[in-house]
Amino acid sequence: MSLRIKSITLGDGIPRICVPITGKSREEILSQSEIIARSQPDLVEWRSDYYEDVLKGESALQILESLSGIFGGIPVIFTFRSVEEGGNKEISVWEYQTLNIAVAQQAKADLIDVEVYRKDFNACSMIRQIHHLNGKVVGSNHNFQITYESEKMAEILYGMDECGADILKLAMMPKTPEDILRLFEVTRQVSDNTQKPVVTMSMGNLGKISRIGGGVFGSAITFASAVDVSAPGQIPLSEMRHILATIYNSTAKQ
Ligand SMILES: O=C1C[C@@](O)(C(=O)O)C[C@@H](O)[C@@H]1O
């Protein structure tokens, strides 16, 4: 059920807070990171698809080298989010594979996000390659329009598990409060039936309750903003800390 990454434990009942880095240039990424590091979140996610030079030579690896220095003991997730799943930059399957494998080889990122249901892409094989390089994987899937039927959501999460992902993550957009209830139900069911941490969120304003309450149903990470949001509905880090401390009676840093 729980997974240890550096000094943090995921999946022990208290959600950990992950803050995204969304700078467009090297300068912006590093200055955001300095600010974020000062607020000491549990994890950070570098959303490399925001970075204008991400696909140029070794630029992404150079940024990761700097981030590992800035964040020290705070785990860093490397994510390239494709346009199809709500990201900012087009990337071919070949470029996506090359980039993620280069990041795994470099071994500066603690987790690599892999879009398990990307079209014409063998995610299971990529996950095996990343594991071979001693990397760890966040399997992910997103829909910014709708919330799938419950069965489909469960299938997606179990499919990531079968494929070998170390963390199973699903982000949906709710149209009704019932959509959020269904996401909670699936989160509870899947997290009870897998050894892996499950991470789910309902996005947008309506879905904010899932970012706060998802941990009660088994979601292991919640994303909060320190400088900029990387998805609709993210709550500022300082507010999130207070709310989580109240709900989970945790000793999380304030
Ligand atoms: O998968 C996720 C979750 C997310 O989409 C959210 O809704 O908080 C934010 C993304 O940056 C991250 O990669």
Side-chain angles (χ1 to χ4, degrees):
M1 268 289 204
S2 65
L3 176 70
R4 209 161 160 81
I5 314 268
K6 285 190 166 158
S7 61
I8 67 154
T9 303
L10 297 173
D12 65 357
I14 298 172
R16 298 304 191 278
I17 305 176
C18 181
V19 169
I21 303 160
T22 57
K24 292 180 185 57
S25 62
R26 180 176 172 85
E27 294 65 40
E28 224 175 85
I29 293 165
L30 298 186
S31 69
Q32 273 194 9
S33 297
E34 297 285 354
I35 296 169
I36 293 169
R38 279 199 287 279
S39 62
Q40 291 281 300
D42 298 310
L43 306 100
V44 293
E45 177 193 49
W46 178 35
R47 278 285 305 269
S48 66
D49 54 293
Y50 280 84
Y51 176 36
E52 57 208 7
D53 289 337
V54 59
L55 297 176
K56 283 196 193 142
E58 306 261 285
S59 311
L61 301 184
Q62 284 160 5
I63 298 272
L64 278 168
E65 178 81 45
S66 305
L67 295 187
S68 80
I70 294 173
F71 289 107
I74 299 174
V76 175
I77 307 174
F78 173 80
T79 299
F80 189 106
R81 180 72 56 242
S82 70
V83 172
E84 293 75 15
E85 295 208 21
N88 294 288
K89 206 184 257 309
E90 296 287 348
I91 191 166
S92 69
V93 168
W94 185 79
E95 286 170 317
Y96 185 67
Q97 282 171 337
T98 309
L99 179 64
N100 282 322
I101 293 301
V103 168
Q105 275 164 342
Q106 183 199 24
K108 291 288 177 193
D110 300 284
L111 288 156
I112 299 176
D113 182 297
V114 173
E115 293 178 357
V116 173
Y117 297 91
R118 199 193 151 126
K119 259 212 193 124
D120 303 321
F121 165 59
N122 188 339
C124 302
S125 153
M126 160 158 289
I127 293 173
R128 274 195 301 276
Q129 290 178 66
I130 293 174
H131 281 163
H132 191 68
L133 294 163
N134 292 320
K136 287 204 163 53
V137 171
V138 181
S140 74
N141 185 249
H142 309 73
N143 192 308
F144 280 69
Q145 260 77 49
I146 59 166
T147 297
Y148 299 137
E149 291 304 314
S150 302
E151 264 177 31
K152 180 164 175 177
M153 288 194 278
E155 258 171 39
I156 287 173
L157 290 165
Y158 286 129
M160 291 172 182
D161 195 352
E162 274 167 33
C163 218
D166 301 282
I167 297 175
L168 323 174
K169 181 175 67 172
L170 180 65
M172 298 273 101
M173 186 62 85
K175 289 210 163 102
T176 63
E178 287 72 23
D179 283 343
I180 306 167
L181 284 177
R182 290 189 302 101
L183 183 85
F184 279 156
E185 251 180 5
V186 170
T187 308
R188 170 97 169 115
Q189 182 216 319
V190 177
S191 61
D192 268 359
N193 283 297
T194 175
Q195 299 302 311
K196 319 266 179 78
V198 173
V199 177
T200 61
M201 58 283 285
S202 227
M203 296 183 285
N205 217 21
L206 183 60
K208 278 181 178 165
I209 186 73
S210 74
R211 299 188 183 276
I212 296 168
V216 173
F217 302 93
S219 182
I221 300 176
T222 184
F223 283 72
S225 63
V227 184
D228 222 349
V229 300
S230 66
Q234 285 173 357
I235 293 168
L237 172 64
S238 53
E239 283 179 39
M240 181 64 91
R241 278 197 166 130
H242 283 292
I243 300 169
L244 293 195
T246 304
I247 296 185
Y248 303 91
N249 199 16
S250 75
T251 52
K253 291 167 238 139
Q254 290 299 307

